[in-house]
Amino acid sequence: MFLGNLDTRLASLLGCSREDIAIRDMAVRQSTGEVYLSVMRGRGFDAIPVLLKIAADGLVVDVPLKGIPFA
C-alpha cells in the first residue's frame, strides 16, 4: 500500500488545511491490510475527532460512528 502525501489526502477529505490535521493513533487489521487512523481535525478545544480507514488499495474513507451505542 502506498501512503504518499497522506497529510494532503486527509486534509482534502476533511476539508481543511494540512496544518489542521493531527494523527493521534493508528491500528492495522492484519487480515485485510486495512489501516485505521484516529485523527483530530483542528486544534485545541475546537478540534473534532474523526475515525478514518485506509483500505488495502489506498482509498481513504470516513468510518461513521452514528448509531454506535458507545465507542
Side-chain angles (χ1 to χ4, degrees):
M1 174 187 335
F2 177 69
L3 296 178
N5 300 317
L6 183 59
D7 57 348
T8 303
R9 292 173 60 195
L10 296 179
S12 175
L13 177 73
L14 298 174
C16 61
S17 69
R18 293 179 344 183
E19 293 77 23
D20 287 332
I21 299 293
I23 298 173
R24 296 295 185 198
D25 203 0
M26 178 183 80
V28 178
R29 188 174 184 183
Q30 291 182 355
S31 63
T32 63
E34 296 169 329
V35 176
Y36 290 85
L37 298 175
S38 170
V39 176
M40 295 301 284
R41 180 183 180 266
R43 299 283 180 201
F45 291 110
D46 294 329
I48 300 169
V50 181
L51 183 60
L52 300 173
K53 177 177 76 170
I54 304 173
D57 63 2
L59 180 66
V60 181
V61 296
D62 181 42
V63 177
L65 297 177
K66 188 173 185 169
I68 303 293
F70 60 91

Coordinates of all heavy atoms in Angstrom, one line a residue:
M1 N 0.8 -1.2 0.0 CA 0.0 0.0 0.0 C 0.9 1.2 0.0 O 1.9 1.3 0.7 CB -0.9 0.0 1.2 CG -1.7 1.2 1.4 SD -2.7 1.4 2.9 CE -3.0 -0.2 3.5
F2 N 0.5 2.2 -0.8 CA 1.3 3.5 -0.9 C 0.5 4.5 -0.2 O -0.6 4.8 -0.5 CB 1.5 3.8 -2.4 CG 2.2 5.2 -2.5 CD1 3.5 5.3 -2.2 CD2 1.5 6.2 -3.0 CE1 4.2 6.5 -2.3 CE2 2.2 7.5 -3.2 CZ 3.5 7.6 -2.8
L3 N 1.2 5.2 0.8 CA 0.5 6.2 1.6 C 1.2 7.6 1.4 O 1.2 8.4 2.3 CB 0.5 5.9 3.1 CG -0.2 4.6 3.5 CD1 -0.1 4.4 4.9 CD2 -1.7 4.8 3.1
G4 N 1.7 7.8 0.2 CA 2.4 9.1 -0.1 C 1.4 10.3 0.0 O 0.2 10.1 -0.3
N5 N 1.9 11.4 0.5 CA 1.1 12.6 0.7 C -0.1 12.4 1.6 O -1.2 13.0 1.3 CB 0.7 13.2 -0.7 CG 1.9 13.6 -1.5 OD1 2.8 14.1 -1.0 ND2 1.8 13.2 -2.8
L6 N 0.0 11.6 2.6 CA -1.1 11.2 3.4 C -1.7 12.5 4.1 O -2.9 12.6 4.1 CB -0.7 10.2 4.5 CG -1.9 9.7 5.4 CD1 -3.0 9.1 4.6 CD2 -1.3 8.8 6.4
D7 N -0.9 13.4 4.5 CA -1.4 14.6 5.2 C -2.3 15.4 4.2 O -3.3 15.9 4.6 CB -0.3 15.4 5.8 CG 0.8 15.8 4.8 OD1 0.8 15.3 3.7 OD2 1.6 16.7 5.1
T8 N -1.8 15.5 3.0 CA -2.6 16.3 2.0 C -3.9 15.5 1.6 O -5.0 16.2 1.5 CB -1.8 16.4 0.7 OG1 -0.6 17.1 1.0 CG2 -2.5 17.2 -0.4
R9 N -3.9 14.2 1.5 CA -5.1 13.5 1.2 C -6.1 13.6 2.4 O -7.3 13.7 2.1 CB -4.7 12.0 1.0 CG -3.9 11.8 -0.3 CD -3.4 10.4 -0.5 NE -4.5 9.5 -0.5 CZ -4.3 8.1 -0.4 NH1 -3.1 7.7 -0.2 NH2 -5.3 7.3 -0.4
L10 N -5.6 13.5 3.6 CA -6.5 13.6 4.8 C -7.1 15.0 4.8 O -8.3 15.1 5.1 CB -5.8 13.3 6.1 CG -5.3 11.9 6.2 CD1 -4.6 11.7 7.6 CD2 -6.4 10.8 6.1
A11 N -6.3 16.0 4.6 CA -6.8 17.4 4.6 C -7.9 17.6 3.6 O -8.9 18.2 3.8 CB -5.7 18.4 4.5
S12 N -7.6 17.1 2.4 CA -8.6 17.2 1.3 C -9.9 16.5 1.6 O -11.0 17.0 1.4 CB -8.0 16.6 0.0 OG -9.0 16.6 -1.0
L13 N -9.8 15.3 2.2 CA -11.0 14.6 2.6 C -11.8 15.3 3.7 O -13.1 15.3 3.6 CB -10.7 13.2 3.1 CG -11.8 12.3 3.6 CD1 -12.6 11.8 2.4 CD2 -11.2 11.1 4.4
L14 N -11.1 15.9 4.6 CA -11.8 16.5 5.7 C -12.1 18.0 5.5 O -12.7 18.7 6.4 CB -10.9 16.4 7.0 CG -10.7 14.9 7.4 CD1 -9.8 14.8 8.6 CD2 -12.1 14.3 7.8
G15 N -11.6 18.6 4.4 CA -11.9 19.9 4.0 C -11.2 21.0 4.9 O -11.8 21.9 5.3
C16 N -10.0 20.7 5.2 CA -9.2 21.7 6.0 C -7.7 21.7 5.5 O -7.4 21.0 4.5 CB -9.2 21.3 7.5 SG -8.6 19.6 7.8
S17 N -6.9 22.5 6.1 CA -5.5 22.5 5.7 C -4.7 21.4 6.4 O -5.2 20.8 7.3 CB -4.9 23.9 6.1 OG -4.8 23.9 7.5
R18 N -3.6 21.1 5.8 CA -2.7 20.0 6.4 C -2.3 20.3 7.8 O -2.1 19.4 8.6 CB -1.4 19.9 5.5 CG -1.7 19.4 4.1 CD -0.4 19.2 3.3 NE 0.7 20.0 3.9 CZ 1.9 20.1 3.4 NH1 2.2 19.5 2.3 NH2 2.8 20.8 4.0
E19 N -2.1 21.6 8.1 CA -1.7 22.0 9.4 C -2.8 21.8 10.5 O -2.5 21.7 11.7 CB -1.3 23.5 9.4 CG -0.1 23.8 8.6 CD -0.3 23.9 7.1 OE1 -1.5 24.1 6.7 OE2 0.7 23.6 6.4
D20 N -4.0 21.6 10.0 CA -5.1 21.3 11.0 C -5.4 19.8 11.2 O -6.4 19.5 11.8 CB -6.4 22.0 10.4 CG -6.4 23.5 10.6 OD1 -5.7 24.0 11.6 OD2 -7.0 24.2 9.8
I21 N -4.5 19.0 10.7 CA -4.7 17.5 10.8 C -3.6 17.0 11.8 O -2.5 17.3 11.8 CB -4.4 16.8 9.5 CG1 -5.4 17.2 8.4 CG2 -4.4 15.3 9.7 CD1 -6.8 16.8 8.7
A22 N -4.1 16.2 12.8 CA -3.2 15.6 13.8 C -3.6 14.1 13.9 O -4.7 13.8 14.3 CB -3.3 16.3 15.1
I23 N -2.7 13.2 13.5 CA -3.0 11.8 13.6 C -2.6 11.4 15.0 O -1.5 11.6 15.5 CB -2.2 11.0 12.6 CG1 -2.6 11.4 11.2 CG2 -2.3 9.5 12.8 CD1 -1.7 10.8 10.1
R24 N -3.6 10.9 15.8 CA -3.4 10.6 17.2 C -3.0 9.1 17.4 O -2.3 8.8 18.4 CB -4.6 10.9 18.0 CG -4.9 12.4 18.0 CD -3.8 13.1 18.7 NE -4.1 14.5 18.8 CZ -3.2 15.4 19.1 NH1 -2.0 15.1 19.3 NH2 -3.6 16.7 19.2
D25 N -3.6 8.2 16.6 CA -3.3 6.8 16.8 C -3.5 6.0 15.5 O -4.2 6.6 14.6 CB -4.3 6.2 17.9 CG -3.7 5.0 18.6 OD1 -2.6 4.5 18.2 OD2 -4.4 4.5 19.4
M26 N -3.0 4.8 15.4 CA -3.1 4.0 14.2 C -3.3 2.6 14.7 O -2.6 2.1 15.6 CB -1.9 4.2 13.4 CG -1.9 3.3 12.1 SD -0.4 3.5 11.1 CE 0.7 2.5 12.0
A27 N -4.1 1.8 13.9 CA -4.2 0.4 14.1 C -4.3 -0.3 12.8 O -4.9 0.3 11.8 CB -5.4 0.0 15.0
V28 N -3.7 -1.5 12.6 CA -3.8 -2.2 11.4 C -4.5 -3.5 11.6 O -4.2 -4.3 12.5 CB -2.3 -2.5 10.9 CG1 -2.4 -3.3 9.6 CG2 -1.5 -1.2 10.7
R29 N -5.5 -3.8 10.7 CA -6.2 -5.0 10.7 C -5.4 -6.0 9.8 O -5.5 -5.9 8.6 CB -7.6 -4.8 10.2 CG -8.5 -6.0 10.3 CD -9.9 -5.7 10.0 NE -10.7 -6.9 10.2 CZ -12.0 -6.9 9.9 NH1 -12.6 -5.8 9.4 NH2 -12.7 -8.0 10.1
Q30 N -4.6 -6.9 10.4 CA -3.7 -7.7 9.6 C -4.4 -8.6 8.6 O -3.8 -8.8 7.5 CB -2.8 -8.5 10.5 CG -1.9 -7.6 11.3 CD -0.9 -8.4 12.2 OE1 -1.1 -9.6 12.3 NE2 0.0 -7.7 12.9
S31 N -5.5 -9.1 8.9 CA -6.2 -10.0 8.0 C -6.6 -9.3 6.6 O -6.7 -10.0 5.6 CB -7.4 -10.6 8.6 OG -8.4 -9.6 8.9
T32 N -6.8 -8.0 6.7 CA -7.3 -7.3 5.4 C -6.3 -6.3 5.0 O -6.4 -5.8 3.8 CB -8.6 -6.6 5.7 OG1 -8.4 -5.6 6.7 CG2 -9.7 -7.5 6.1
G33 N -5.3 -5.9 5.8 CA -4.4 -4.8 5.4 C -4.9 -3.4 5.6 O -4.3 -2.5 5.2
E34 N -6.1 -3.3 6.2 CA -6.7 -2.0 6.4 C -6.0 -1.3 7.6 O -5.7 -1.9 8.5 CB -8.2 -2.1 6.7 CG -9.0 -2.7 5.6 CD -10.4 -3.1 6.0 OE1 -10.6 -3.5 7.2 OE2 -11.3 -3.0 5.2
V35 N -5.9 0.0 7.4 CA -5.3 0.8 8.4 C -6.3 1.8 8.9 O -7.1 2.4 8.2 CB -4.1 1.7 7.8 CG1 -3.5 2.6 8.9 CG2 -3.0 0.7 7.3
Y36 N -6.5 1.9 10.3 CA -7.4 2.8 10.9 C -6.7 3.9 11.6 O -5.7 3.6 12.3 CB -8.3 2.0 11.9 CG -9.3 1.1 11.2 CD1 -8.9 -0.2 10.9 CD2 -10.6 1.5 11.0 CE1 -9.8 -1.1 10.3 CE2 -11.5 0.6 10.3 CZ -11.0 -0.7 10.0 OH -11.9 -1.5 9.4
L37 N -7.1 5.1 11.4 CA -6.5 6.3 11.9 C -7.4 7.0 12.8 O -8.6 7.3 12.4 CB -5.9 7.2 10.9 CG -4.9 6.7 9.9 CD1 -4.6 7.7 8.8 CD2 -3.6 6.3 10.6
S38 N -7.0 7.4 14.0 CA -7.7 8.3 14.9 C -7.1 9.7 14.6 O -5.9 9.9 14.8 CB -7.5 7.9 16.3 OG -8.0 8.9 17.2
V39 N -7.9 10.6 14.1 CA -7.4 11.9 13.6 C -8.2 13.0 14.3 O -9.4 12.9 14.6 CB -7.6 12.0 12.1 CG1 -7.2 13.4 11.5 CG2 -6.9 10.9 11.4
M40 N -7.5 14.1 14.6 CA -8.1 15.3 15.1 C -8.1 16.3 14.0 O -7.1 16.6 13.4 CB -7.4 15.9 16.3 CG -7.4 14.9 17.5 SD -9.1 14.6 18.1 CE -9.5 16.1 18.9
R41 N -9.3 16.9 13.7 CA -9.4 17.9 12.7 C -9.5 19.3 13.4 O -10.5 19.5 14.1 CB -10.6 17.7 11.8 CG -10.8 18.8 10.8 CD -12.1 18.5 10.0 NE -12.3 19.4 9.0 CZ -13.1 20.5 9.1 NH1 -13.7 20.8 10.3 NH2 -13.2 21.4 8.1
G42 N -8.5 20.1 13.3 CA -8.5 21.3 14.1 C -7.5 21.3 15.2 O -6.9 20.3 15.5
R43 N -7.5 22.3 16.0 CA -6.6 22.4 17.2 C -7.4 22.8 18.4 O -8.4 23.5 18.4 CB -5.5 23.4 16.9 CG -4.7 23.1 15.7 CD -3.7 22.0 16.0 NE -2.9 21.8 14.8 CZ -2.2 20.7 14.6 NH1 -2.3 19.8 15.5 NH2 -1.5 20.5 13.5
G44 N -6.9 22.4 19.6 CA -7.4 22.8 20.9 C -8.8 22.3 21.2 O -9.1 21.2 20.7
F45 N -9.6 23.1 21.9 CA -10.9 22.7 22.3 C -11.9 22.5 21.1 O -12.9 21.9 21.2 CB -11.5 23.6 23.3 CG -10.8 23.5 24.7 CD1 -10.0 24.5 25.1 CD2 -10.8 22.4 25.4 CE1 -9.3 24.5 26.3 CE2 -10.2 22.2 26.6 CZ -9.4 23.3 27.1
D46 N -11.6 23.2 20.0 CA -12.5 23.1 18.8 C -12.2 22.0 17.9 O -12.9 21.8 16.9 CB -12.3 24.4 18.0 CG -12.8 25.6 18.8 OD1 -13.8 25.5 19.6 OD2 -12.3 26.8 18.6
A47 N -11.2 21.2 18.2 CA -10.8 20.0 17.4 C -11.9 19.0 17.4 O -12.6 18.8 18.4 CB -9.5 19.4 17.9
I48 N -12.1 18.4 16.2 CA -13.1 17.4 16.0 C -12.5 16.0 15.8 O -11.7 15.9 14.9 CB -14.0 17.7 14.8 CG1 -14.7 19.1 15.0 CG2 -15.1 16.7 14.5 CD1 -15.4 19.7 13.8
P49 N -12.8 15.0 16.6 CA -12.2 13.7 16.4 C -12.9 13.0 15.2 O -14.1 13.1 15.0 CB -12.5 12.9 17.7 CG -13.7 13.6 18.2 CD -13.7 15.0 17.8
V50 N -12.1 12.3 14.4 CA -12.5 11.6 13.2 C -11.8 10.2 13.2 O -10.7 10.1 13.5 CB -12.2 12.3 11.9 CG1 -12.7 11.6 10.7 CG2 -12.8 13.8 12.0
L51 N -12.6 9.2 12.8 CA -12.0 7.9 12.6 C -12.0 7.6 11.1 O -13.0 7.7 10.4 CB -12.8 6.8 13.3 CG -12.3 5.4 13.2 CD1 -10.9 5.3 13.9 CD2 -13.2 4.4 14.0
L52 N -10.8 7.3 10.5 CA -10.7 7.0 9.1 C -10.1 5.7 8.9 O -9.4 5.1 9.7 CB -9.7 8.1 8.5 CG -10.1 9.5 8.6 CD1 -9.0 10.4 8.1 CD2 -11.4 9.8 7.9
K53 N -10.5 5.1 7.7 CA -10.0 3.8 7.3 C -9.3 4.0 6.0 O -9.8 4.6 5.1 CB -11.1 2.8 7.2 CG -10.7 1.4 6.6 CD -11.8 0.4 6.6 CE -12.7 0.7 5.4 NZ -13.7 -0.3 5.1
I54 N -8.1 3.4 5.9 CA -7.4 3.3 4.6 C -7.4 1.9 4.1 O -6.9 1.0 4.8 CB -5.9 3.8 4.7 CG1 -5.9 5.2 5.4 CG2 -5.2 3.8 3.4 CD1 -4.5 5.7 5.7
A55 N -8.1 1.6 3.0 CA -8.2 0.3 2.5 C -6.9 -0.2 1.9 O -6.0 0.6 1.7 CB -9.3 0.3 1.5
A56 N -6.8 -1.5 1.7 CA -5.6 -2.1 1.1 C -5.2 -1.4 -0.2 O -4.1 -1.4 -0.6 CB -5.8 -3.6 1.0
D57 N -6.2 -0.9 -1.0 CA -5.9 -0.3 -2.3 C -5.6 1.2 -2.1 O -5.3 1.9 -3.1 CB -7.1 -0.4 -3.2 CG -8.4 0.2 -2.7 OD1 -8.4 0.9 -1.7 OD2 -9.4 0.1 -3.5
G58 N -5.5 1.7 -0.9 CA -5.1 3.1 -0.6 C -6.3 4.1 -0.5 O -6.1 5.2 -0.2
L59 N -7.5 3.6 -0.7 CA -8.7 4.5 -0.6 C -8.9 4.9 0.8 O -9.0 4.0 1.7 CB -9.9 3.8 -1.2 CG -11.2 4.6 -1.1 CD1 -11.2 5.8 -2.1 CD2 -12.4 3.7 -1.5
V60 N -9.1 6.2 1.1 CA -9.3 6.7 2.4 C -10.8 7.1 2.6 O -11.3 7.8 1.8 CB -8.4 7.9 2.7 CG1 -8.7 8.4 4.2 CG2 -7.0 7.7 2.5
V61 N -11.4 6.5 3.6 CA -12.8 6.8 3.9 C -13.1 7.0 5.4 O -12.3 6.6 6.2 CB -13.8 5.6 3.4 CG1 -13.7 5.4 1.9 CG2 -13.4 4.3 4.1
D62 N -14.1 7.8 5.6 CA -14.6 8.1 7.0 C -15.3 6.8 7.5 O -16.0 6.2 6.8 CB -15.5 9.3 6.9 CG -16.0 9.7 8.3 OD1 -15.2 9.7 9.2 OD2 -17.2 10.0 8.4
V63 N -15.1 6.5 8.8 CA -15.8 5.4 9.4 C -16.9 6.1 10.3 O -16.6 6.7 11.3 CB -14.8 4.6 10.4 CG1 -15.6 3.5 11.1 CG2 -13.7 4.0 9.6
P64 N -18.2 5.9 9.8 CA -19.3 6.5 10.5 C -19.5 5.9 11.9 O -19.5 4.7 12.0 CB -20.5 6.3 9.6 CG -20.1 5.1 8.8 CD -18.6 5.1 8.7
L65 N -19.7 6.7 12.9 CA -19.9 6.2 14.2 C -21.4 6.5 14.7 O -21.7 6.1 15.8 CB -18.9 6.8 15.2 CG -17.5 6.5 15.0 CD1 -16.6 7.3 15.9 CD2 -17.2 5.0 15.0
K66 N -22.2 7.0 13.8 CA -23.6 7.3 14.1 C -24.3 5.9 14.3 O -24.1 5.0 13.5 CB -24.2 8.0 13.0 CG -25.6 8.5 13.4 CD -26.2 9.4 12.3 CE -27.6 9.9 12.8 NZ -28.1 11.0 12.0
G67 N -25.0 5.8 15.4 CA -25.7 4.6 15.7 C -24.9 3.6 16.5 O -25.4 2.6 16.9
I68 N -23.7 3.9 16.8 CA -22.8 3.1 17.6 C -23.2 3.5 19.1 O -23.1 4.6 19.5 CB -21.3 3.3 17.4 CG1 -21.0 3.1 15.9 CG2 -20.5 2.5 18.3 CD1 -21.1 1.7 15.4
P69 N -23.6 2.5 19.9 CA -24.0 2.8 21.3 C -22.9 3.5 22.1 O -23.2 4.3 22.9 CB -24.5 1.5 21.8 CG -24.2 0.5 20.9 CD -23.7 1.1 19.6
F70 N -21.7 3.0 21.9 CA -20.5 3.7 22.6 C -19.3 3.3 21.8 O -19.3 2.3 21.0 CB -20.4 3.2 24.0 CG -20.2 1.7 24.2 CD1 -18.9 1.2 24.2 CD2 -21.3 0.9 24.3 CE1 -18.8 -0.2 24.3 CE2 -21.1 -0.5 24.4 CZ -19.9 -1.0 24.4
A71 N -18.3 4.1 21.9 CA -17.1 3.9 21.2 C -15.9 4.3 22.0 O -16.0 5.1 22.9 CB -17.1 4.6 19.9

